[in-house]
Amino acid sequence: MKNYTGKTVWIIGASSGIGHALAQELHNRGATLILSARDDAALSRLNGILDGRHKVIAFDVTDQDKFSEAFKAVGTIDSVIYLAATYTPGKIADIKAADVEKTMSINLEGALTLLRHVIPHYRAQGFGQIALCGSVAGYRGLPGGQPYSATKAAIISIAESLRAEVADDNIDVRLISPGFVRTPMTDKNDFAMPMIIDPPAAARAIADGLVGRRFEIHFPKKFTFLMKLLRILPYPFYFRLMRGIKR
């Protein structure tokens, strides 16, 4: 996909944060959008901002039947971007089981449900793009956010393996790895977030990246390259560093 003109893009997780900003960015670049999230009213308001010319399909990604119904209503698409996510900060022993289950269901199982639907669809139509949202929090285990970090590490692994698995099917797999972006999720953090950016900046980075050639779209670059260095630190140095910053 070289540009968005005449292309149909399905954004799952469009009601707020990065997804909301990305919808506006892709609208401005000429894409036809399918806007999905649980909040139908928020999606309808967003569509109103975007001249009301896009399709709204509200559903809960944790509901298998509703996901199937939503997919049937989508039709032909050129790209799907999975941004649905949730996050509960805190030490692992203090996090409620229900919050862990919710994190796993939305961040990971929802993405896998999407893949089970969209891969056969893309193979049948002969083309398509899949963008999964990981996080630099998935590069290595970070104190205070283990369930979230674990799901994002899994998304990174899935995107990497899927890229190889569908390489011969004309399916373009991309990985989105944001640093800190000012959203309702990061508002939950009680610590300083270095190099935090606003959603429109994240949306521009994603929009540029999806029509570029690189597998991973990571931003802001100054921060994500530092995190990539952290990823390759030998364990003794890494654990010593983590002891110094744990909350």
Side-chain angles (χ1 to χ4, degrees):
M1 191 166 69
K2 296 181 180 180
N3 59 65
Y4 296 100
T5 303
K7 299 297 191 295
T8 299
V9 182
W10 185 18
I11 303 175
I12 302 175
S15 61
S16 65
I18 296 174
H20 191 279
L22 182 60
Q24 296 179 74
E25 182 70 23
L26 297 187
H27 166 84
N28 293 337
R29 297 191 188 204
T32 297
L33 303 175
I34 300 169
L35 306 172
S36 289
R38 287 176 294 179
D39 192 336
D40 182 75
L43 294 174
S44 295
R45 286 194 297 270
L46 172 59
N47 195 28
I49 294 170
L50 305 179
D51 304 326
R53 69 178 181 85
H54 305 290
K55 182 185 290 188
V56 170
I57 303 177
F59 72 101
D60 186 340
V61 298
T62 67
D63 187 319
Q64 300 281 325
D65 293 335
K66 295 297 183 183
F67 209 134
S68 296
E69 291 175 12
F71 190 80
K72 290 175 183 177
V74 166
T76 300
I77 54 174
D78 297 280
S79 176
V80 58
I81 307 166
Y82 190 86
L83 297 170
T86 188
Y87 164 61
T88 302
K91 294 182 179 179
I92 192 69
D94 300 327
I95 297 175
K96 297 176 181 178
D99 290 331
V100 175
E101 182 178 351
K102 182 180 178 181
T103 301
M104 296 291 289
S105 295
I106 295 174
N107 298 8
L108 181 56
E109 293 177 17
L112 290 170
T113 301
L114 168 66
L115 296 179
R116 286 196 294 271
H117 285 86
V118 79
I119 291 172
H121 177 76
Y122 278 168
R123 282 175 172 156
Q125 74 178 21
F127 66 92
Q129 183 183 72
I130 301 167
L132 300 177
C133 191
S135 168
V136 296
Y139 284 176
R140 295 201 80 156
L142 299 176
Q146 287 93 335
Y148 179 82
S149 293
T151 59
K152 292 306 182 179
I155 289 293
I156 292 170
S157 179
I158 289 166
E160 290 171 345
S161 61
L162 184 63
R163 174 88 168 197
E165 184 178 308
V166 300
D168 297 327
D169 296 315
N170 200 29
I171 299 175
D172 178 23
V173 178
R174 302 300 183 93
L175 173 64
I176 302 168
S177 299
F180 291 113
V181 181
R182 193 171 283 105
T183 68
M185 283 206 304
T186 55
D187 287 345
K188 299 176 183 179
N189 290 332
D190 60 0
F191 56 88
M193 292 173 279
M195 304 184 204
I196 190 169
I197 62 174
D198 290 320
R204 288 191 296 271
I206 294 170
D208 290 342
L210 292 177
V211 293
R213 302 184 65 179
R214 294 185 181 277
F215 164 67
E216 186 184 21
I217 303 161
H218 59 96
F219 53 86
K221 289 290 197 299
K222 288 182 180 179
F223 180 66
T224 53
F225 277 125
L226 287 174
M227 293 299 292
K228 286 180 180 292
L229 288 174
L230 183 66
R231 195 178 190 184
I232 61 174
L233 274 181
Y235 279 126
F237 297 102
Y238 171 72
F239 291 137
R240 191 175 303 129
L241 179 62
M242 289 300 101
R243 283 198 298 271
I245 67 171
K246 69 180 181 180
R247 289 178 287 170

